[in-house]
Amino acid sequence: MNITIHRGSREIGGTCIELSTTNTRILLDAGLPLASGSASIDLARIAPDAAIISHPQQDHYGMITDLPDNVPVYIGKLAKELLDATRIFLQVPLHSNTFRTFEAWQSFRIGDFQVTPYLMDHSAVDAFGLLVEAEGKRLFYSGDFRGHGKKRGLFEAFVKKPPTGIDLLFMEGTMMERTNDDFPSEDAVQQRIGEIVANQQNISFLISSSQNVDRLVSAYNACVAADKVFVIDFYTAWVLEKVKSISAGVRAMDLRRIAVLRDGRSAGRQYGIMANDRSRFAGFMNEVFKRAITLEQLHARPDRYLMLAKLGPTTSKRVASFIADTPVNIIYSQWLGYLKSDLAGYTDVGTMNAYRDGEVAGVCFHYAHTSGHATVQDLQRFAKSVNPKVLIPIHTEYGHRYSTVFDNVVMHADGKAFEL
């Protein structure tokens, strides 16, 4: 088996690994890079027979638009639904790729390769590690994973019974120079959100991603415990509806403590998208309007509500409209790196930093977030359980540190082919 890391040996995001035999060539992920100045990849020149996407985040799938439409893209069933959801609500055409969906622990073949997906605990749903076998060799690609989320049982089950006889492990290391000390688990985040909303006298805004389903569940659970209502938008409600269709553990429109905002420019645009696609949304729209709520209702009793929000001017204007004698809470629940000043041009992070620095009267800033990636301790447990003959760093800026905490580490630079 021949291998080339096209991107990912020295950076987080944009991962793309090529595997080939005499007859078959595949890609493990085809992600858009997060770092400026990242190397470009010519997928047309690589000419893979297929690509396998580990999970539905842009830094792992964003380059599939560069693949010819007839090249199969393998992806989890729910992950494909979420790719579609994003494009539907952005009002851009769906991907024209040829998709083939897979299920956890169900092996499938692509030419010479046999692939078995392992469902992992991650902040993105439908995230998989991949066991790849060909020409008598066994390779495991970790994808992105952690051991402290709502699905941490998957991590514990994996380290107790990992795939055996692994010749090469590609293992992510996003957290090699970071800690999770403030909030070591998703449960700790849920507890903190609950403490804030239980004591609020005005509305609270939760700054988080609609596709971080673990965080949505944490927010919902916190609202139930505190006798509050979690307010989301139509898009987030649709994401939960798609998750509900796959996982019985997550419900959406039947939840007593969820309301869907129907007022405002964004809500109007999202409603228009659904109204113009009734064949897709008809039944959903009937359910979602049972949970609809207006801005007028929120202003009447703001202390009853926790509202999901995004970085941007719409949130800033909405926060300003609620400022009164009692403070508005901003619960920032994602990576603090997004608040770097060089992002201010299009995400309004300048205002968010002003909240954080206490420069806006009537606003209290709170941080409540845990990483979607494994701590060094859990990376060590993962690597020890797999016990590969060779461990290669991927999706990390600190591959040079792997040999200090893991065994059998070999470094391979981007663009350099090697044989397994």
Side-chain angles (χ1 to χ4, degrees):
M1 189 190 306
N2 292 303
I3 302 171
T4 302
I5 304 170
H6 289 287
R7 187 164 52 223
S9 67
R10 286 174 173 78
E11 65 188 277
I12 295 170
T15 305
C16 185
I17 303 170
E18 174 189 341
L19 310 179
S20 64
T21 64
T22 303
N23 303 305
T24 312
R25 187 182 310 274
I26 64 173
L27 298 179
L28 303 182
D29 282 338
L32 284 175
L34 299 175
S36 59
S38 183
S40 61
I41 302 173
D42 186 351
L43 295 187
R45 182 188 61 79
I46 298 172
D49 295 298
I52 310 172
I53 304 303
S54 63
H55 63 281
Q57 289 181 318
Q58 282 269 4
D59 63 322
H60 290 263
Y61 79 82
M63 285 187 63
I64 62 173
T65 53
D66 293 345
L67 291 170
D69 290 349
N70 63 345
V71 173
V73 176
Y74 290 78
I75 191 169
K77 183 178 180 180
L78 176 57
K80 171 59 167 56
E81 293 278 10
L82 297 189
L83 263 61
D84 289 350
T86 298
R87 295 178 82 85
I88 289 167
F89 280 90
L90 288 175
Q91 293 186 282
V92 297
L94 299 183
H95 290 96
S96 58
N97 305 86
T98 300
F99 286 98
R100 296 179 182 171
T101 60
F102 56 74
E103 297 182 10
W105 305 291
Q106 301 298 309
S107 299
F108 58 92
R109 293 203 68 87
I110 305 173
D112 290 343
F113 291 97
Q114 176 165 291
V115 182
T116 306
Y118 283 68
L119 189 62
M120 310 296 274
D121 179 23
H122 183 46
S123 52
V125 295
D126 230 23
F128 293 91
L130 301 168
L131 172 63
V132 183
E133 302 173 81
E135 298 183 329
K137 299 294 184 179
R138 289 165 61 85
L139 175 154
F140 195 86
Y141 169 53
S142 74
D144 290 357
F145 73 98
R146 63 180 176 181
H148 56 268
K150 298 288 187 188
K151 304 178 292 296
R152 57 187 173 274
L154 291 169
F155 174 81
E156 295 298 335
F158 182 94
V159 296
K160 287 178 182 176
K161 192 176 180 181
T164 58
I166 299 301
D167 296 291
L168 186 158
L169 170 63
F170 278 115
M171 188 178 72
E172 73 122 313
T174 307
M175 293 282 285
M176 285 295 292
E177 289 289 310
R178 304 179 193 173
T179 69
N180 234 13
D181 294 346
D182 290 340
F183 295 93
S185 69
E186 189 64 37
D187 290 343
V189 174
Q190 178 177 311
Q191 180 179 346
R192 181 58 182 143
I193 294 172
E195 292 168 352
I196 295 166
V197 299
N199 295 296
Q200 70 187 31
Q201 296 178 329
N202 199 337
I203 196 168
S204 294
F205 290 87
L206 180 73
I207 310 300
S208 189
S209 167
S210 294
Q211 293 202 11
N212 187 342
V213 175
D214 274 11
R215 194 60 40 81
L216 300 181
V217 172
S218 290
Y220 169 76
N221 289 341
C223 285
V224 170
D227 194 25
K228 307 297 181 182
V229 177
F230 187 32
V231 182
I232 60 178
D233 59 14
F234 290 123
Y235 166 67
T236 306
W238 182 245
V239 168
L240 288 176
E241 192 72 8
K242 295 289 97 181
V243 175
K244 183 180 71 171
S245 70
I246 302 296
S247 173
V250 175
R251 298 170 294 158
M253 292 302 94
D254 56 341
L255 295 175
R256 292 185 304 107
R257 294 291 175 180
I258 282 188
V260 183
L261 185 66
R262 74 181 192 190
D263 289 356
R265 179 180 299 178
S266 177
R269 182 182 62 81
Q270 292 179 0
Y271 174 78
I273 291 168
M274 295 189 301
N276 291 326
D277 193 357
R278 290 188 179 275
S279 62
R280 187 191 306 274
F281 291 107
F284 172 74
M285 290 177 70
N286 292 336
E287 290 298 316
V288 80
F289 272 93
K290 295 177 184 177
R291 301 292 174 189
I293 195 169
T294 66
L295 285 169
E296 183 180 21
Q297 289 173 290
L298 298 184
H299 278 281
R301 282 290 310 277
D303 61 303
R304 294 191 64 218
Y305 302 104
L306 169 66
M307 180 186 289
L308 183 69
K310 306 294 188 293
L311 284 173
T314 297
T315 296
S316 301
K317 291 176 184 176
R318 196 158 281 164
V319 169
S321 75
F322 279 94
I323 291 177
D325 294 335
T326 54
V328 174
N329 289 311
I330 299 293
I331 307 172
Y332 186 83
S333 196
Q334 52 191 24
W335 181 47
L336 285 170
Y338 293 134
L339 298 184
K340 293 179 181 178
S341 60
D342 58 356
L343 298 177
Y346 62 93
T347 58
D348 200 32
V349 297
T351 303
M352 193 60 60
N353 279 315
Y355 298 151
R356 183 184 181 187
D357 296 337
E359 298 173 0
V360 180
V363 176
C364 287
F365 183 94
H366 307 270
Y367 176 66
H369 177 65
T370 194
S371 178
H373 301 271
T375 62
V376 172
Q377 292 76 17
D378 283 342
L379 290 172
Q380 288 175 312
R381 291 181 64 197
F382 189 94
K384 184 177 180 180
S385 72
V386 175
N387 191 28
K389 294 178 182 177
V390 173
L391 191 161
I392 297 179
I394 199 71
H395 200 278
T396 183
E397 296 173 339
Y398 297 98
H400 59 281
R401 285 207 56 237
Y402 272 49
S403 61
T404 65
V405 290
F406 309 116
D407 295 328
N408 306 322
V409 175
V410 175
M411 297 285 293
H412 281 280
D414 289 357
K416 303 287 186 179
F418 62 97
E419 185 175 344
L420 178 61

